[in-house]
Amino acid sequence: MKKEDFDADKRKIFIICFVCFLFLVYIIRLFTLQVLDNNYKEWANSNAFLNKKRHPSRGVMYDRNDKLLVYNQPSYDVMVVMRETKAFDTLAFCRAINIDMEYFKKKWADVKNRKLNPGYSSYTPQPFLNQLGSKEYGILQESIYKFPGFYLENKTIREYNYPSAAHVLGYIAVADKQNLADDDYYVRGDYIGKTGIEKRYESYLRGTKGVEILLRDAHGRIKGRYEEGIHDQDPIPGKDLTLSLDIDLQAYGEMLMANKLGSIIMIEPKTGEILCMVSSPTYDPSILVGRQFSENFNNLAKDPYTPLINRAMNGKYPPGSTFKPAQALVFLEEDIIQPSTAYSCYVGWPPGNGHPACHGHGSPLALVDALATSCNSYFCWGLKAMLENRKYSSIDDAMNKWRDLMVNQGFGYPLGVDLPGEKQGRIPNGQFYNNIYTKWNPFTIISIAIGQGEVEETPLQICNLVATIANRGYYHVPHVVKKIRDAALDQTYTDKKYTGIHSEHYETVVDGMRKAVTGGTCYGANLPNIEVCGKTGTAENIGKSHSIFMAFAPKDDPKVAISILVENGGYGATYAVPMGRLMIEKYLNGRISESDKGIEDRIKNATILRNVLPKKQNME
Amino acid sequence: MSSPKSKIWSNLDWITVSIYVVMVVAGWFNIYAASYDFDQVSIFDLSGRAGMQMLWIVISVVMGFSLLLIESNWYDIFAYWVYVFLILLLVVTIFVAPDIKGSRSWLVMGPVRLQAAEFAKFATALAIARFMNGYRFELMNVKNFAVILCLILLPLGLILLQKETGSALIFLAFFVMLYREGMPGAIIFTGFCTILFFLIALKLDGMVWGITPLGEYIILVLVLLFIYIMLFTYKKGRTTKYIVFPSMGLIIISMAVSFFVKFNLCHVTLGILALTVLAILTNYIRFGSSRYLYIILFVLFSIVYLYSVDYFFNDVLEPYQQTRVKVALGMIDDPSGAGYNVNQSKIAIGSGGLLGKGYLNGTQTKLKYVPEQDTDFIFCTVGEEEGFLGAGGVLLLFLALIVRLIFLAERQRHRFSRIYGYSVASILTFHVAVNIGMVIGIMPVIGIPLPFFSYGGSSICAFTILLFIFLRLDTSRNR
């Protein structure tokens, strides 16, 4: 071996000495920790930290007139530390909290089941039973000393002042596995908003948990607060919300919709604030609170009329004739027609040999009258003229232009309402038809001219369209939350969105919609002292047609835009129009005139429930 | 060339094997204790962590003894291939690994999760040993040293990219082996100074003595002190005394004066430092010895470093690492935040006392106060349940293993085996020092496992491979 220019032996000794020195330091450190220093023993024997979460109160909700809608009330969870339980009178326990023996056994097994309860430890408190009523709480509290290992934990649950607006408000429930994985804030047993405002505004409503650092002994018994609580943090309560809903209007709408399927949406056009959003069938939000939650929830989920779905924004329907004003605006903007342009109609569209059919009225008609009478042929002519116009390079190009202007009016994509799960509807473009047809022409797709065929919209989008018309060319993204205490509303809801269609075109369409009320299809909405502008729709589908109506009022200073859809209600004029009349009256006049009481009775007592099979699982 | 199989068994170092077996079995029992509950599954049940660890131990032992059956020169022959393979694995890991608790180091293959970083250690040790085993190899040849640095820094960097800072730092252990193989002590000394200055600067940050910033002053004096030591070690003689004594005198005088007149001692000391450097520079010009130049370089490096520590701490380290360093230095005390783990683990260990609370009777670990109880903080369970005797015993066991490994390494005739042996000893030392140091609160929280004890298949398999390759090399020491 080559002679090295360093002393390997010395280095070996140095390394060994260094390692020994290191271990000596560690052993001395261990000795001081374990033998000399008694502090740590005391820490452990009498003191160990328990970070006890303190739950903030969840933000409450008011309606637009400051009526309290949702608030909190105390509730109690029963917690159990398995290791501390001793033999006890299970029967007495069950009687105290009003459960039967079987349920007790199941719960007992569930707590220990690591599949259901992955964070299980027999040394720490585990949730045993959620949301004890105050009566059971009183009984259990008195006798809790008989059941070692059981504790009561304070929480709050939701309380509702009105049995209305369940879909908008949403509900809260215990955070599930996915919620826990998504956000570290939540621990098992915490509540989280699951739908509606409760979900969308969860981050505002929930507040921030506080922490109380407690000391406990080796057996888990609480011994007091750590350093007199100087490290504790108070919980920060959630932010209160003021909704744009008018709860009386909402309740009135729900009453009118009773025993029917459908939705009513009213928007204040100038702000985009949603005044009411009725989806029928609905349910009383207070049934999804407390111990009866799962039973009631399961019943609602099984109901074949799907009361858990918010039809106002999750239902997709062909818009029918309510689509015609939007069509007219596109044709006017693209210079396809002039307000004076007249098209012929012979109880049907001549080029289609009478298809689509139309009803009897004078011919030819100009735009205002075509809107007032809801002439199908007029809009078929219009669409054909647009698709065949030489100013576009191809039919695809024309179709895409058409689509863009429709999208600008709020169709085809979710509007961005501040509620989760909004559907986007469907506005086809050229590519869409290239995919389904090898060859297509205006005749192939003519039914979209009258809001049938491939076009789908949500009732919310229909309401937004009418708000856009009321504003003569812009809208605010519809929203249900008007104010968040100490926080600004998202800019999305305060900015104006323009459709890019000139306002003079809107005036023509407004005239048509006014004429529809004064002497056309929606004469039923002609209120004596309010200038209502409206448009009916009769959406054909499998089964009886849906009855649709959209309107705004008053004509020159619009205060409200409304859309109504009654599933299988037949013609627009049959149910939707009178319902719209009552809603507008209720909102603008504050009461229903004596002469309209008869209409009110007829509507609210009507039952239109199609025969449905028990709900299939794949329905949303 | 090849030794008969019987030779392997008689030449095998059974002392090391015994220590190994004691450790893995003790680890297994402690993992069971760490996750023990009164309705706990049995220690053999594969649904529990103890059961899984048993499975891993069996796999490891089988693997370890299989390694003994491989011809010892194969390790030399295949060293680079193994290294290249693991480097590729590390690269792949960076891209495909899912994010698990902020780290991207786990290769998930169905039910098995593999941490390539653990296996990179033995591979790197093999590659370096192979490289340094070359004919007439000179360590301090610039090219050779650069290659070795690359061999170390490549896996280190890749593991850093996986956000496994702890595992990456372990690769610095190779410098201990390099020191044994002739690397100048000055390099280690510089590294040591870097850390020392860093700690002093942070620990004393903001403290003032009169109007002198204390941390800065102490470091400046230390730099001067190191200059004196170096001058006396390398250049004994009159010239040295002419430099050292006046310089030393000036420091003492300036300190004395500062008691009566308020001024910033740092400025004066910087002046003294400048004068000293000037004197050394004159000597360098007169005598031309490169040693003087090294000393001047050391001073310059120290000064630049001193004034950039702030930048390093605030801009290079991640916020969580800053907090950990601060907690370890006792600069912040936060019983519920970053210091929580350490505080709880100290309480658990401290409550163990001399004799411990008895097996399965630990309360602190049972109440789940200590996180990562069966992996990085497994030593807590030992400390709490087996007391000072048990914990000290484990420390001594590790010491015995490491010293034994150094002894075995020294008796190798082949450079390859010796270098590999020293690497094994160094890696184990670093692991134990960092892990136990963290658990007893004298090191920052750097999450690395305790060899042979911590729960985890990758860890135990990798350490078994690391150790048994050396045992195999050792059986052929006479060839």
Side-chain angles (χ1 to χ4, degrees):
Chain A
M1 196 183 278
K2 179 173 103 61
K3 186 178 177 324
E4 284 143 338
D5 61 351
F6 62 93
D7 192 336
D9 261 351
K10 256 191 183 170
R11 292 200 164 189
K12 175 188 86 182
I13 302 288
F14 179 76
I15 291 173
I16 291 180
C17 287
F18 179 78
V19 173
C20 290
F21 172 74
L22 189 84
F23 275 80
L24 187 67
V25 170
Y26 277 37
I27 286 181
I28 291 171
R29 168 73 181 179
L30 260 185
F31 190 71
T32 45
L33 259 180
Q34 298 193 283
V35 183
L36 297 183
D37 195 338
N38 278 320
N39 280 341
Y40 289 107
K41 247 156 280 160
E42 277 169 35
W43 270 108
N45 287 333
S46 59
N47 306 317
F49 294 119
L50 170 66
N51 287 345
K52 191 180 173 192
K53 294 273 183 265
R54 290 168 62 193
H55 293 276
S57 61
R58 202 171 165 86
V60 304
M61 299 186 210
Y62 299 92
D63 90 335
R64 66 187 293 114
N65 301 316
D66 288 326
K67 290 184 180 164
L68 183 59
L69 303 180
V70 188
Y71 58 101
N72 303 305
Q73 70 164 20
S75 107
Y76 307 90
D77 287 359
V78 183
M79 312 291 282
V80 61
V81 179
M82 283 294 178
R83 190 143 229 219
E84 293 171 24
T85 53
K86 300 196 175 81
F88 63 97
D89 185 351
T90 34
L91 210 60
F93 183 77
C94 289
R95 228 177 293 131
I97 57 174
N98 196 15
I99 58 172
D100 59 31
M101 201 60 201
E102 217 160 283
Y103 190 67
F104 174 86
K105 280 183 187 150
K106 181 180 174 295
K107 277 284 176 189
W108 188 262
D110 284 355
V111 170
K112 289 206 220 175
N113 185 339
R114 274 174 208 271
K115 280 204 182 92
L116 292 174
N117 187 3
Y120 174 69
S121 159
S122 66
Y123 290 84
T124 53
Q126 301 293 318
F128 182 75
L129 200 66
N130 285 334
Q131 301 186 336
L132 215 55
S134 51
K135 194 176 133 220
E136 287 94 5
Y137 167 72
I139 300 173
L140 185 60
Q141 178 74 314
E142 273 177 18
S143 54
I144 193 109
Y145 68 92
K146 292 185 202 159
F147 313 115
F150 284 93
Y151 300 92
L152 286 159
E153 193 176 283
N154 291 19
K155 282 218 180 107
T156 56
I157 53 171
R158 285 306 217 187
E159 183 82 356
Y160 299 86
N161 266 343
Y162 298 86
S164 310
H167 295 112
V168 176
L169 300 176
Y171 58 90
I172 59 172
V174 176
D176 59 30
K177 236 179 185 172
Q178 193 58 45
N179 300 139
L180 297 180
D182 290 347
D183 192 341
D184 287 343
Y185 178 86
Y186 301 97
V187 297
R188 266 180 44 76
D190 280 358
Y191 290 100
I192 185 171
K194 291 285 188 180
T195 60
I197 295 174
E198 297 278 17
K199 179 176 183 183
R200 177 60 166 65
Y201 287 89
E202 169 70 15
S203 57
Y204 294 101
L205 290 169
R206 73 183 183 191
T208 306
K209 275 186 247 177
V211 65
E212 198 174 9
I213 304 177
L214 298 174
L215 300 169
R216 61 176 182 179
D217 65 9
H219 307 289
R221 285 185 295 248
I222 305 295
K223 289 291 174 186
R225 306 167 80 182
Y226 172 62
E227 289 188 359
E228 307 303 312
I230 58 166
H231 297 286
D232 291 1
Q233 281 158 14
D234 287 329
I236 301 167
K239 288 185 167 35
D240 298 343
L241 303 180
T242 302
L243 311 190
S244 60
L245 290 192
D246 179 330
I247 194 64
D248 295 328
L249 194 65
Q250 175 82 22
Y252 184 69
E254 287 179 11
M255 185 197 73
L256 292 183
M257 263 294 173
N259 297 320
K260 291 167 272 292
L261 309 179
S263 63
I264 304 175
I265 304 149
M266 290 172 88
I267 292 179
E268 186 176 78
K270 288 198 177 59
T271 56
E273 288 169 9
I274 295 175
L275 301 167
C276 76
M277 188 187 250
V278 175
S279 171
S280 185
T282 182
Y283 59 94
D284 180 349
S286 64
I287 67 170
L288 291 187
V289 164
R291 296 253 305 284
Q292 71 272 36
F293 177 93
S294 25
E295 193 192 334
N296 287 339
F297 186 85
N298 286 337
N299 287 340
L300 289 173
K302 269 186 277 178
D303 189 325
Y305 294 110
T306 60
L308 288 173
I309 291 174
N310 185 353
R311 289 174 154 75
M313 55 177 212
N314 289 340
K316 291 179 295 185
Y317 305 91
S321 301
T322 59
F323 200 48
K324 287 173 185 166
Q327 293 279 29
L329 288 165
V330 174
F331 300 155
L332 287 169
E333 177 65 24
E334 284 296 289
D335 228 4
I336 305 298
I337 58 169
Q338 304 302 318
S340 57
T341 307
Y343 286 122
S344 60
C345 172
Y346 307 112
V347 205
W349 189 39
N353 290 328
H355 292 284
C358 196
H359 45 89
H361 55 70
S363 171
L365 289 179
L367 179 57
V368 169
D369 288 316
L371 281 170
T373 57
S374 197
C375 172
N376 284 342
S377 302
Y378 191 96
F379 296 93
C380 295
W381 280 117
L383 185 67
K384 181 168 179 289
M386 177 160 181
L387 295 177
E388 290 174 346
N389 197 306
R390 290 289 172 86
K391 80 180 195 184
Y392 307 109
S393 59
S394 65
I395 189 168
D396 271 28
D397 187 33
M399 194 66 209
N400 290 340
K401 184 70 201 173
W402 178 86
R403 187 199 81 116
D404 289 347
L405 284 170
M406 285 300 172
V407 167
N408 281 354
Q409 297 187 69
F411 298 131
Y413 292 96
L415 284 165
V417 65
D418 53 349
L419 289 171
E422 187 195 354
K423 289 278 186 290
Q424 61 174 18
R426 183 168 62 217
I427 292 292
N429 60 4
Q431 190 57 44
F432 178 87
Y433 286 115
N434 291 338
N435 289 344
I436 47 177
Y437 300 117
T438 45
K439 205 167 173 281
W440 59 280
N441 58 38
F443 294 96
T444 326
I445 64 164
I446 202 63
S447 48
I448 64 169
I450 54 169
Q452 297 287 154
E454 291 77 20
V455 175
E456 275 180 351
E457 288 169 15
T458 66
L460 182 65
Q461 285 171 330
I462 298 177
C463 192
N464 187 63
L465 169 70
V466 80
T468 314
I469 297 171
N471 287 334
R472 276 65 166 180
Y474 74 86
Y475 66 93
H476 288 277
V477 174
H479 51 282
V480 286
V481 170
K482 193 179 153 107
K483 207 165 70 192
I484 306 166
R485 179 170 292 172
D486 305 326
L489 212 55
D490 194 330
Q491 220 184 346
T492 321
Y493 303 114
T494 53
D495 286 350
K496 283 181 185 177
K497 293 204 166 188
Y498 288 91
T499 56
I501 296 171
H502 288 84
S503 58
E504 69 261 25
H505 301 322
Y506 278 97
E507 293 302 343
T508 316
V509 169
V510 168
D511 288 341
M513 286 173 68
R514 177 64 190 147
K515 199 164 181 187
V517 174
T518 53
T521 49
C522 33
Y523 183 72
N526 196 9
L527 286 162
N529 54 354
I530 304 167
E531 279 192 286
V532 177
C533 304
K535 183 76 201 74
T536 52
T538 306
E540 289 169 20
N541 69 103
I542 311 159
K544 202 177 174 193
S545 300
H546 300 322
S547 171
I548 312 178
F549 176 54
M550 66 174 196
F552 67 91
K555 180 184 171 205
D556 293 321
D557 180 23
K559 297 236 175 345
V560 62
I562 181 168
S563 86
I564 291 171
L565 189 146
V566 183
E567 288 181 20
N568 312 113
Y571 294 114
T574 321
Y575 284 104
V577 171
M579 227 181 244
R581 175 190 181 96
L582 295 169
M583 291 302 287
I584 293 171
E585 213 181 338
K586 174 84 178 167
Y587 181 63
L588 293 180
N589 293 345
R591 59 182 193 86
I592 304 298
S593 67
E594 280 308 314
S595 54
D596 283 357
K597 289 285 184 195
I599 305 176
E600 186 181 27
D601 283 344
R602 178 175 76 83
I603 296 295
K604 80 178 179 200
N605 293 329
T607 298
I608 315 167
L609 293 173
R610 61 171 178 269
N611 285 329
V612 286
L613 295 167
K615 198 193 144 208
K616 282 190 212 131
Q617 281 309 306
N618 60 2
M619 264 187 84
E620 273 188 281
Chain B
M1 183 107 185
S2 75
S3 43
K5 293 286 179 273
S6 60
K7 236 355 194 329
I8 293 177
W9 304 120
S10 61
N11 271 355
L12 184 62
D13 185 55
W14 288 101
I15 297 178
T16 310
V17 174
S18 314
I19 297 177
Y20 167 80
V21 170
V22 170
M23 281 186 174
V24 292
V25 171
W28 177 40
F29 275 99
N30 275 295
I31 286 163
Y32 183 63
S35 47
Y36 179 75
D37 231 337
F38 83 110
D39 47 3
Q40 171 76 16
V41 292
S42 109
I43 192 166
F44 299 103
D45 192 325
L46 289 181
S47 70
R49 284 204 150 187
M52 278 307 289
Q53 181 75 355
M54 177 188 69
L55 193 65
W56 285 117
I57 290 173
V58 171
I59 292 172
S60 295
V61 170
V62 170
M63 198 153 62
F65 281 92
S66 318
L67 287 171
L68 293 177
L69 302 177
I70 296 174
E71 286 302 325
S72 64
N73 56 338
W74 282 26
Y75 293 112
D76 192 341
I77 295 166
F78 289 108
Y80 288 153
W81 292 110
V82 174
Y83 180 78
V84 168
F85 174 73
L86 269 145
I87 291 294
L88 289 178
L89 208 58
L90 285 176
V91 174
V92 169
T93 306
I94 292 175
F95 291 104
V96 304
D99 198 325
I100 297 172
K101 290 184 192 161
S103 129
R104 295 187 162 277
S105 60
W106 294 95
L107 272 176
V108 180
M109 294 168 296
V112 182
R113 295 202 307 184
L114 185 94
Q115 201 165 26
E118 295 291 342
F119 298 93
K121 290 164 202 163
F122 85 85
T124 311
L126 281 177
I128 295 177
R130 164 79 190 268
F131 181 69
M132 289 174 68
N133 194 30
Y135 178 66
R136 290 182 74 87
F137 174 86
E138 292 258 8
L139 175 61
M140 287 326 287
N141 169 324
V142 176
K143 219 174 99 190
N144 287 341
F145 195 67
V147 172
I148 289 173
L149 271 188
C150 287
L151 286 176
I152 296 174
L153 292 180
L154 187 60
L156 188 150
L158 289 173
I159 295 168
L160 270 183
L161 287 178
Q162 300 171 3
K163 307 257 184 232
E164 280 288 326
T165 322
S167 293
L169 290 181
I170 291 303
F171 282 79
L172 298 179
F174 286 108
F175 284 95
V176 177
M177 176 275 292
L178 290 176
Y179 172 70
R180 163 62 184 81
E181 292 302 313
M183 186 181 71
I187 293 180
I188 297 219
F189 179 72
T190 311
F192 169 75
C193 286
T194 314
I195 296 167
L196 184 71
F197 292 171
F198 178 72
L199 294 185
I200 291 176
L202 280 181
K203 176 95 180 166
L204 301 180
D205 187 30
M207 280 202 230
V208 193
W209 179 35
I211 55 166
T212 308
L214 202 55
E216 192 183 329
Y217 182 63
I218 290 180
I219 293 170
L220 288 175
V221 173
L222 271 180
V223 171
L224 276 164
L225 212 61
F226 290 146
I227 295 178
Y228 306 154
I229 295 169
M230 283 190 272
L231 283 173
F232 276 120
T233 333
Y234 297 129
K235 292 280 158 196
K236 290 177 193 133
R238 266 212 324 234
T239 46
T240 297
K241 286 180 190 162
Y242 288 151
I243 299 174
V244 172
F245 292 133
S247 167
M248 221 185 263
L250 280 174
I251 294 176
I252 293 163
I253 292 167
S254 65
M255 273 165 97
V257 172
S258 75
F259 279 106
F260 304 103
V261 191
K262 285 257 175 282
F263 62 90
N264 189 340
L265 267 172
C266 286
H267 299 319
V268 179
T269 314
L270 267 176
I272 300 170
L273 196 61
L275 284 177
T276 316
V277 169
L278 209 62
I280 297 170
L281 195 64
T282 326
N283 273 1
Y284 170 65
I285 294 163
R286 273 170 62 196
F287 305 112
S289 163
S290 61
R291 291 244 157 103
Y292 286 122
L293 202 60
Y294 286 138
I295 295 175
I296 293 171
L297 279 177
F298 167 76
V299 175
L300 288 180
F301 171 78
S302 304
I303 297 301
V304 170
Y305 181 73
L306 166 62
Y307 291 103
S308 59
V309 159
D310 262 351
Y311 168 78
F312 175 77
F313 186 73
N314 291 321
D315 296 294
V316 178
L317 289 188
E318 305 275 337
Y320 78 95
Q321 290 168 325
Q322 293 174 13
T323 329
R324 285 171 175 185
V325 172
K326 281 184 174 169
V327 170
L329 292 175
M331 289 168 68
I332 51 172
D333 192 15
D334 175 12
S336 59
Y340 178 85
N341 299 3
V342 176
N343 213 349
Q344 290 303 337
S345 88
K346 282 199 308 203
I347 291 172
I349 292 183
S351 69
L354 183 66
L355 298 172
K357 297 174 184 171
Y359 185 59
L360 300 182
N361 284 330
T363 51
Q364 296 298 295
T365 45
K366 298 296 167 299
L367 284 165
K368 312 231 182 247
Y369 287 127
V370 184
E372 310 283 343
Q373 253 169 145
D374 44 11
T375 55
D376 296 350
F377 280 87
I378 187 76
F379 193 68
C380 262
T381 316
V382 184
E384 191 189 7
E385 297 192 340
E386 313 305 329
F388 176 68
L389 291 184
V394 170
L395 271 175
L396 286 179
L397 209 56
F398 272 115
L399 180 62
L401 177 66
I402 290 163
V403 172
R404 179 72 191 166
L405 286 175
I406 294 175
F407 169 78
L408 294 185
E410 286 290 345
R411 79 176 177 189
Q412 303 304 315
R413 280 204 220 149
H414 297 271
R415 207 173 174 183
F416 180 84
S417 308
R418 185 181 72 218
I419 291 168
Y420 185 81
Y422 259 101
S423 300
V424 177
S426 312
I427 290 169
L428 284 177
T429 310
F430 264 55
H431 256 279
V432 175
V434 171
N435 178 285
I436 296 184
M438 159 183 86
V439 175
I440 61 181
I442 52 181
M443 284 257 183
V445 178
I446 297 171
I448 56 165
L450 184 62
F452 310 121
F453 273 79
S454 289
Y455 173 79
S458 292
S459 161
I460 193 158
C461 287
F463 279 114
T464 306
I465 295 173
L466 183 75
L467 185 66
F468 275 73
I469 289 179
F470 180 54
L471 289 177
R472 176 65 185 99
L473 295 173
D474 179 57
T475 54
S476 316
R477 60 189 174 271
N478 295 322
R479 77 186 147 98

